[in-house]
Amino acid sequence: MGAIILFDGECHFCHQSVQFIIKRDKNAYFSFASLKSERGQKLLKRYDVSEKLNRLIVIETMYQFIANNRYKWFGKKKTCIVPKPEVRKRFL
């Protein structure tokens, strides 16, 4: 079983994010549930997540999926950025 994404069914950003993931999830790794649905409510309780959240929630760490596909989706730069002095201080 893959990961479950809980989403706010009324939010345009959440809707677009779900559509973005579906389009690229060729192996159907992700399943989806609205936060307000019966299944979504059960999952919130099961994983002890606040019902006040109104965002995307991934049940299982999604990093590996993104890491494996990041260059394909977003491309790859040939060099690392060199920030301007006023911005450089913000880098650790």
Side-chain angles (χ1 to χ4, degrees):
M1 182 177 167
I4 300 168
I5 296 177
L6 301 176
F7 64 96
D8 178 347
E10 298 173 346
C11 168
H12 287 291
F13 174 76
C14 294
H15 171 78
Q16 291 300 326
S17 297
V18 167
Q19 296 306 311
F20 178 88
I21 294 165
I22 289 170
K23 186 176 180 179
R24 289 156 180 82
D25 184 19
K26 302 299 183 197
N27 295 321
Y29 178 77
F30 294 101
S31 297
F32 305 89
S34 167
L35 288 166
K36 294 182 180 178
S37 69
E38 183 179 335
R39 182 70 186 264
Q41 289 295 302
K42 286 180 181 179
L43 288 165
L44 287 174
K45 287 181 180 131
R46 179 177 177 188
Y47 291 98
D48 195 27
V49 178
S50 171
E51 293 184 34
K52 294 181 182 179
L53 294 175
N54 57 357
R55 58 195 77 174
L56 291 174
I57 300 169
V58 178
I59 298 175
E60 183 178 88
T61 302
M62 190 166 97
Y63 176 77
Q64 194 60 49
F65 178 74
I66 293 172
N68 289 341
N69 293 287
R70 68 188 188 273
Y71 294 139
K72 179 171 64 174
W73 294 342
F74 305 110
K76 186 175 178 181
K77 296 176 69 67
K78 292 184 183 206
T79 60
C80 191
I81 66 165
V82 177
K84 296 178 182 180
E86 63 270 16
V87 177
R88 189 174 303 149
K89 64 184 174 189
R90 296 175 61 191
F91 285 80
L92 304 176

